[in-house]
Amino acid sequence: MGFRYGIVGRPNVGKSTLFNCVSSSKAQAANFPFCTIEPNIGFTTVPDERLTVLANMAKPPRVVPATVEIVDIAGLVKGASRGEGLGNQFLSNIRQTDAILHVLRCFDDPNVVHMDGSVNPVRDKEIVDIELQIKDLETVSNRIVKVEKQAQSGGDKHAKKVLDLLFRYKEVLEMGRNAREVVIENAEDAKIAKEFFLLTNKPVMYVCNVDEASAASGNAYLERVREAIKGEDAEILVIAAEIESEIAELESFEEREMFLQEIGLETSGVVRLIQSAYSLLNLQTFFTIGGPELKAWTIKKGDKAPKAAGVIHTDFEKGFIRAEVIKYDDFVALGSEVACRAAGKLNSEGKEYVVQDGDIMHFLFNV
């Protein structure tokens, strides 16, 4: 199960610099619009101290952390919904992501041009929002035309539910608001809504890219963004992308810690970004320890044991019999699987078991 995050924003806000910090790839970062044309794709590991603790205890030959996919998407301009700039390509790339990391420029620098001649993160946010809303409104309107006939002529109850939900989205989008503001009351509606693939229905986190002086204290631009998104169900993360790129070049852990202390930060922005992005999609981690490998796996909160097994291999889910589960804290306290088993801390769980964050699991299956 892969999870993909799209880094989006206006041109020259620091998207590619940020991508280079969090990704194993090195995207081109330059001071001109459309430096990024094709989306840059990279993977980043999810920081998790528990994996280090388990590795020190089990001492496996191989340790594999959880990863997520990051996509650096070309900057958006006014008129993207009508094909301006790299409009259609940009919108298509966003559609393929699970969540959006919307980078906003919250720093002044005369050496970095802005397409509109001035720094205004709230204006930039609104431009991106409007273009995505226009595209979503087009999607919804086209779908209404198709479904309306089914709902009216065929007496199709499902079509009527789909149509009702489409009209709810249309009303919100026509008011210049995002589709994610529509409250979904039940699982059936949530399933229907997912099939619309609306751009503004994706979870979003606003990443405010500030200068070094504002990395710990914030600035006036940041406060304007906070005010602008008060009514949204969205997170804000403050990061100084240029500083993060310098931190990424440091070789030792000690050097990075010293650098962070000097600028007044406890944790690097990249670590906070990845952890916050993980939470944005309601994700959690379980571990497997077996043979030569300790591995972290990513699932959604609320997933049951067979679904978790399927992340490892589809055969595990199809032929699921049961899962042997050790709680992370029990493993750390007792020191090994053998000790946990002897102490009665290894539980046998069936198909209805809801996996908990940090579970150490072994699956029994038969295909």
Side-chain angles (χ1 to χ4, degrees):
M1 184 188 298
F3 295 95
R4 173 182 275 204
Y5 296 85
I7 298 179
V8 307
R10 303 292 311 284
N12 294 351
V13 297
K15 295 183 293 79
S16 295
T17 301
L18 183 61
F19 174 83
N20 288 336
C21 295
V22 301
S23 167
S24 56
S25 301
K26 289 293 180 184
Q28 185 185 10
N31 182 22
F32 55 87
F34 307 124
C35 165
T36 302
I37 297 177
E38 292 297 325
N40 297 298
I41 299 174
F43 292 86
T44 188
T45 59
V46 179
D48 195 327
E49 293 180 1
R50 297 172 301 184
L51 195 65
T52 304
V53 172
L54 292 174
N56 290 334
M57 294 176 67
K59 297 189 175 6
R62 188 163 177 251
V63 178
V64 183
T67 61
V68 292
E69 186 175 350
I70 306 290
V71 185
D72 174 26
I73 299 171
L76 179 142
V77 299
K78 290 179 183 178
S81 58
R82 302 187 301 275
E84 295 292 330
L86 301 170
N88 291 328
Q89 184 179 339
F90 173 93
L91 296 166
S92 174
N93 291 330
I94 291 182
R95 203 177 297 281
Q96 296 169 34
T97 65
D98 297 297
I100 294 172
L101 307 178
H102 186 164
V103 182
L104 297 170
R105 177 173 170 175
C106 295
F107 66 89
D108 291 309
D109 186 340
N111 296 316
V112 180
V113 298
H114 192 291
M115 288 191 72
D116 296 327
S118 62
V119 176
N120 186 334
V122 174
R123 175 200 59 209
D124 289 352
K125 171 196 173 305
E126 289 172 350
I127 288 173
V128 173
D129 280 351
I130 289 169
E131 295 302 326
L132 299 187
Q133 288 162 8
I134 291 171
K135 198 64 181 178
D136 278 350
L137 188 56
E138 178 187 313
T139 299
V140 167
S141 299
N142 290 340
R143 190 74 179 266
I144 286 173
V145 172
K146 293 179 182 178
V147 177
E148 210 162 17
K149 294 177 183 177
Q150 296 174 323
Q152 290 174 353
S153 62
D156 188 330
K157 291 183 179 179
H158 178 72
K160 288 180 179 178
K161 284 194 173 187
V162 173
L163 189 61
D164 287 344
L165 192 53
L166 284 167
F167 276 121
R168 288 174 63 193
Y169 279 123
K170 187 171 186 285
E171 182 182 5
V172 167
L173 291 165
E174 286 179 336
M175 293 168 63
R177 291 156 53 193
N178 293 315
R180 70 181 71 92
E181 293 187 34
V182 173
V183 178
I184 303 298
E185 289 88 3
N186 56 66
E188 185 180 0
D189 281 355
K191 186 177 179 181
I192 293 170
K194 195 172 181 181
E195 295 171 356
F196 299 157
F197 297 104
L198 299 179
L199 302 173
T200 64
N201 216 9
K202 295 179 184 293
V204 64
M205 178 166 64
Y206 295 103
V207 182
C208 293
N209 185 15
V210 301
D211 54 21
E212 179 180 350
S214 307
S217 59
N219 59 29
Y221 291 131
L222 173 61
E223 293 312 310
R224 289 177 204 163
V225 174
R226 287 193 197 281
E227 183 66 25
I229 71 160
K230 274 199 308 189
E232 294 188 35
D233 182 18
E235 295 182 43
I236 281 187
L237 185 131
V238 181
I239 192 168
E242 279 296 333
I243 298 302
E244 294 295 327
S245 65
E246 293 180 30
I247 294 173
E249 296 297 325
L250 298 175
E251 294 185 4
S252 73
F253 174 79
E254 289 74 17
E255 285 179 306
R256 290 192 290 271
E257 287 293 296
M258 191 176 299
F259 193 109
L260 288 170
Q261 287 177 8
E262 287 177 0
I263 61 175
L265 295 176
E266 294 182 6
T267 311
S268 82
V270 166
V271 169
R272 288 184 287 111
L273 174 66
I274 299 167
Q275 290 174 338
S276 297
Y278 209 62
S279 298
L280 185 64
L281 282 177
N282 209 26
L283 304 179
Q284 65 179 8
T285 302
F286 73 91
F287 304 100
T288 55
I289 304 174
E293 186 175 85
L294 161 63
K295 189 164 184 176
W297 303 87
T298 301
I299 58 172
K300 287 268 193 180
K301 290 179 181 177
D303 281 352
K304 295 181 180 179
K307 188 90 175 274
V311 173
I312 299 174
H313 198 287
T314 53
D315 285 349
F316 284 25
E317 183 172 8
K318 290 175 184 175
F320 179 88
I321 299 173
R322 68 179 186 276
E324 295 181 338
V325 182
I326 302 172
K327 297 301 178 187
Y328 170 80
D329 289 342
D330 290 335
F331 190 96
V332 172
L334 296 170
S336 70
E337 180 182 327
V338 173
C340 289
R341 191 182 294 272
K345 295 297 184 180
L346 185 151
N347 299 319
S348 182
E349 304 288 357
K351 292 182 178 180
E352 294 305 310
Y353 176 70
V354 178
V355 180
Q356 302 300 303
D357 188 42
D359 279 354
I360 299 166
M361 307 186 75
H362 174 69
F363 298 101
L364 287 80
F365 68 101
N366 181 28
V367 178

